[in-house]
Amino acid sequence: MERSMAELEPTLLEIIKDHAVGLTGELSRETPIADLGIDSFSVVEIIYEVEEKLGVEVPFNANENPFGDMATVGDLIDALDKLIKK
Amino acid sequence: MSRNIVVTGLGAVTPLGASVAAFRDGLFAGRCAIQEREYSADRFSLSVPVAPIDGLEDRIKELSPQLMRADRFSQLAALAAEEAAAQSGLEFDEALGARTACIIGTGIGGQSTFDAGYVAMLCRERRPHPLTILKIIPNAAASHLTIKYGVRGPAFAVSSACATGAHAIGVSAELIKSGAADVAFAGASEAILCYGALEAWKAMHILSDETCRPFSKNRKGLVIGEGAGVLILEEEEHAKKRGADILCRLSGFGMNADGKDMINPDVNGAAGAMKLALKDISIDDPSRVYVNAHGTGTLLNDPTETKAIRSVFGAGADALAVSSTKSMHGHLLGAAGGIEAIAAILALREGIVPPTVNYDEADPECDLDYVPNKARERDIAVALSNSFAFGGLNAVTAFEKA
């Protein structure tokens, strides 16, 4: 059964927060990605944890970074959501 | 015009202490960092004497986010490099980065990450961590340092088991001599203290079940340690022009292969490497020569190395000060040649020879002056560091005063 965006979002936010080593305040959809302190390692780790926690496969290819031109955490969550539903 | 190599920075993370000053104090006090410790993985465990490093957590937390998630061998290399870079006084700007090499070796690489990956897969039916590959590759330490310091010159890992560190220093020197770089991070790191690796070493029947007693008749084998040793090597004129504090010169490097056997060492190979390291050095007084021996404390290495030293120095061999500091810090495998080069440099600079501790029974097959149990004051003019690897690969570094 496909999970709705509303169900996934809190889990995705929590995973992103775990890897946001540079984050000082609260995490929300509006938080700029640049403020998270995440790097190339974090992207790989976030994908892995999404797969582990949600029991899904994220068809993410590290060679074709689909997260290239995102600005906010909301953009990241939407991108993950799209990948998960593929 | 020939380009000479000088040393302008030292960094050590060792079981005797996690800085050059602490390492020095341990060496000259004759302190032994070997202790029995238990390692486990899932339902398996073993207890062996090792030389571990404790209490680095706070310093590792201060490293970059990527280094914080690296394997321990990369983290130890980064800590050693920080100390060496700070002592050198070099500012790694755009121009220097392009002229800097970074040759950091390791005997094995990210062994504990490898172990953890297999335990996850085979015992817990979980996938390995996604960064497993980036953590275990033997070039990880070298790569992390290039990122940390903006190094854009030649960079790679060398691997030659117990001779790795010496090869890294020698190859770095050759790169500077060739003109490929003016400065180099040169050294090695090893961190294999985990269940699987120790079980494999134990299976070879060369681990001591008590402590490490190089050259002593009752020696029972080697004790594995962890750590990293990094030197800043610099072309002499480059160092002089910036008014650097020159610690010593790297005046010789010898390397060769026995071409004979994976386990048994060869007198001629070891002697040949020492001769190559000494070819541009004139020795007037052998009593002013210190040899930091490979001295693993195994049955085979110690008499072979003794014979090799005798064949190089002839009648002068009895006047040499020879010691194995592995008796104190254990065998750092790939990193041995890195921290032992630093031990040799400390003896040269301070006029104190570190001892071979745990020495309590003379062996007729090992009949040199091993500076037993207590450090000794002696004015040293030439300091050698011997490294002879499993697989018959030999590398020797030689240092003289600046």
Side-chain angles (χ1 to χ4, degrees), chain B residues 6 13 44 68 131 165 267:
Chain B
V6 296
V13 179
F44 308 100
M68 281 159 53
L131 298 179
V267 173

Side-chain angles (χ1 to χ4, degrees), chain B residues 77-86 90-93 96-97 100 102 143-152 185:
Chain B
L79 295 179
E82 279 182 353
E83 187 183 16
L90 286 163
E91 297 285 340
F92 290 92
D93 58 11
L96 182 58
T100 299
C102 182
S143 294
H144 278 291
L145 291 196
T146 62
I147 295 160
K148 187 172 169 63
Y149 292 100
V151 168
R152 297 187 330 283
F185 286 89

Side-chain angles (χ1 to χ4, degrees), chain A residues 39-41 45 48 51-52, chain B residues 66 69 126-128 130-131:
Chain A
D39 54 20
S40 58
F41 275 19
E45 289 179 315
Y48 177 83
E51 291 181 327
E52 292 283 304
Chain B
Q66 293 211 341
R69 287 171 285 168
R126 282 182 54 106
R127 292 183 301 164
L131 298 179

Side-chain angles (χ1 to χ4, degrees), chain B residues 15 32-33 45 48 68 87 92 106-107 122 137 172 182 195 218 220 262 273 278 346 364 387:
Chain B
C32 179
S45 70
V48 282
M68 281 159 53
Q87 185 178 26
F92 290 92
T106 182
L122 304 177
I137 47 179
S172 298
D182 295 325
Y195 171 75
N218 57 351
K220 296 183 80 175
M262 285 301 283
L278 289 166
L346 290 170
S387 296

Side-chain angles (χ1 to χ4, degrees), chain B residues 129-180:
Chain B
H129 189 273
L131 298 179
T132 299
I133 297 300
L134 294 173
K135 289 162 106 173
I136 65 171
I137 47 179
N139 64 293
S143 294
H144 278 291
L145 291 196
T146 62
I147 295 160
K148 187 172 169 63
Y149 292 100
V151 168
R152 297 187 330 283
F156 51 88
V158 299
S159 190
S160 53
C162 318
T164 298
H167 272 118
I169 293 168
V171 166
S172 298
E174 298 297 333
L175 284 169
I176 295 174
K177 279 187 189 169
S178 77

Side-chain angles (χ1 to χ4, degrees), chain A residues 14-68:
Chain A
E14 192 188 320
I15 292 170
I16 293 164
K17 195 175 176 185
D18 282 348
H19 289 90
V21 291
L23 185 71
T24 46
E26 282 298 300
L27 184 73
S28 72
R29 284 190 70 96
E30 284 67 46
T31 309
I33 287 172
D35 291 356
L36 301 179
I38 62 173
D39 54 20
S40 58
F41 275 19
S42 317
V43 173
V44 179
E45 289 179 315
I46 288 169
I47 299 283
Y48 177 83
E49 265 199 59
V50 168
E51 291 181 327
E52 292 283 304
K53 284 211 172 127
L54 299 176
V56 295
E57 195 177 328
V58 182
F60 163 74
N61 184 337
N63 292 319
E64 307 162 13
N65 187 355
F67 306 123

